[in-house]
Amino acid sequence: MLYLLAVALFGASSIHALTTRQTIAVLDSSQVDSYTPYTYYASTGYCSAAQTLAWDCGTNCEANPGFVPVASGGNGDAIQYWYVGYDPLLSTVIVAHQGTDPSEILPLITDADFFLANLDSSLFPGISSDIKVHNGFSDAQALTATDVLAAVQTTLSKYGTTCITLVGHSLGAAISLLDSVYLPLHLPSGLTFQTITYGLPRVGNQAFADYVDANLHLIHINNKEDPIPICPGMSLGFVHPAGEIHIDDSGEWAACPGQDNLSTQCIVGDVPNIFDGNESDHDGPYNAVEMGC
C-alpha cells in the first residue's frame, strides 16, 4: 500500500531511482585500501614483457614485492602486454593485461568499426549462442588466450593455490573479463576466480552480462567522469554486468548494485553521454594510483 501511494505521488521511475540510491553502499577506508594491491597489478600491465618477467618496473613492482612472475608476453602494439605469476601474500595467481590510451580506445568503442559477435567456440566451448561480445575485444583476447592458459596451469601446478585473480585497466580490463569466462572452461573444477578491473568498457550484450553475473565474481571500478565505462552505448545492445564501484569527485567509493545503475552516484547516471565525460579521469587516480608504467 505504501509503495502504491509513493508511485501515485512520485511516479514509478522516481521510486526506482530512490530505491536504487538507497541500496548503494559507501566503502570505508579499509575496504578501499584492500583493492590497492590489485590496482598496482593492473597498472603493471602497462610494463613491457621483459620488465614484468624480471619484476623490475619501479613503483608498480615495488608495491607488490613478493610477487613471483611465471610468464609474460605481448609486444605492446598489435598484442597487448600480459603477465602471469603468483602472489604468496594474497595466495592467488595473478593474470594481468595491458590497457591502452583513452584517446586510442575511445574511437574503438564509439565508432562503427565494431559489432556484437559470438564467442569463438574453440576457445569458449559450450557457451550459448545468445551470448555476444564486442568483436574487437574478442579478437584481442584470442591473441593471447592459449599462452595465458598455459601460464596459469603452470602457476597453479607450481604453487598449489586454488585462487585466480584477473586484473586489467581499459582494454586490458575487457580482455581480462573475457579471460574470466574463458579460463574456467579449460581448468579443473574447484578453483575460485575473481576479476577486478578499472575503467572497464561494456564488453557484451544482455546475455553476456547475465552470464557474468551468474558465474563470475566481478568488480569493475570507475573513476569520476571517465567516459570509457559508458561505451559502447546501451542503445547498441551493450550491457555492463553487476559489480560496479564508482569513485565520485570527493573520492568516495560507492558500490552500485545491479547492471548499469542509473543513480548519479554511479557511472551511467553521473556521465549520461561521452560529452559529459573527462578522458583524463580514465587513468585515475584509483586511491592515489595512476595507471601506467
Side-chain angles (χ1 to χ4, degrees):
M1 181 64 71
L2 289 175
Y3 176 79
L4 293 177
L5 177 60
V7 169
L9 290 173
F10 302 111
S13 61
S14 297
I15 295 302
H16 173 73
L18 179 61
T19 302
T20 299
R21 180 179 293 275
Q22 287 175 333
T23 57
I24 291 171
V26 175
L27 277 62
D28 62 33
S29 59
S30 63
Q31 291 172 311
V32 171
D33 289 343
S34 70
Y35 290 104
T36 299
Y38 306 105
T39 312
Y40 276 111
Y41 279 129
S43 184
T44 306
Y46 284 90
C47 301
S48 72
Q51 287 176 297
T52 54
L53 193 59
W55 207 241
D56 182 14
C57 59
T59 301
N60 281 332
C61 292
E62 291 165 3
N64 290 301
F67 180 75
V68 184
V70 171
S72 63
N75 57 26
D77 185 13
I79 302 175
Q80 302 301 110
Y81 290 133
W82 61 270
Y83 68 90
V84 174
Y86 179 65
D87 185 316
L89 186 63
L90 299 172
S91 300
T92 184
V93 176
I94 296 291
V95 180
H97 287 275
Q98 175 196 5
T100 191
D101 185 278
S103 65
E104 295 179 3
I105 192 175
L106 194 57
L108 175 66
I109 56 180
T110 57
D111 67 17
D113 191 25
F114 68 84
F115 53 88
L116 282 164
N118 291 120
L119 290 164
D120 184 335
S121 61
S122 64
L123 293 177
F124 297 87
I127 293 293
S128 169
S129 60
D130 292 337
I131 293 174
K132 298 182 186 299
V133 301
H134 186 292
N135 68 300
F137 298 157
S138 179
D139 289 346
Q141 187 268 343
L143 291 173
T144 62
T146 56
D147 288 339
V148 168
L149 172 60
V152 170
Q153 290 170 324
T154 297
T155 309
L156 288 169
S157 176
K158 185 173 183 178
Y159 293 100
T161 185
T162 58
C163 180
I164 300 169
T165 302
L166 299 101
V167 300
H169 169 251
S170 193
L171 174 57
I175 296 172
S176 289
L177 180 54
L178 289 170
D179 266 359
S180 302
V181 176
Y182 164 73
L183 289 173
L185 301 175
H186 300 273
L187 292 170
S189 60
L191 301 174
T192 60
F193 294 82
Q194 63 176 348
T195 306
I196 302 172
T197 67
Y198 304 81
L200 173 72
R202 294 191 182 97
V203 174
N205 65 356
Q206 182 69 65
F208 175 78
D210 291 343
Y211 181 91
V212 170
D213 288 352
N215 294 280
L216 306 180
H217 177 66
L218 169 67
I219 296 294
H220 50 111
I221 302 171
N222 303 316
N223 185 50
K224 299 181 181 179
E225 279 75 49
D226 180 3
I228 303 303
I230 67 164
C231 301
M234 290 186 285
S235 63
L236 298 174
F238 288 83
V239 180
H240 263 309
E244 178 192 357
I245 295 175
H246 183 228
I247 306 170
D248 71 12
D249 291 339
S250 72
E252 179 179 271
W253 289 41
C256 300
Q259 300 174 346
D260 284 308
N261 194 306
L262 298 177
S263 167
T264 54
Q265 287 180 271
C266 307
I267 195 70
V268 177
D270 192 29
V271 189
N273 61 72
I274 60 172
F275 303 107
D276 291 319
N278 185 347
E279 283 187 22
S280 66
D281 289 334
H282 186 53
D283 289 339
Y286 300 88
N287 195 25
V289 180
E290 292 275 353
M291 293 291 165
C293 190

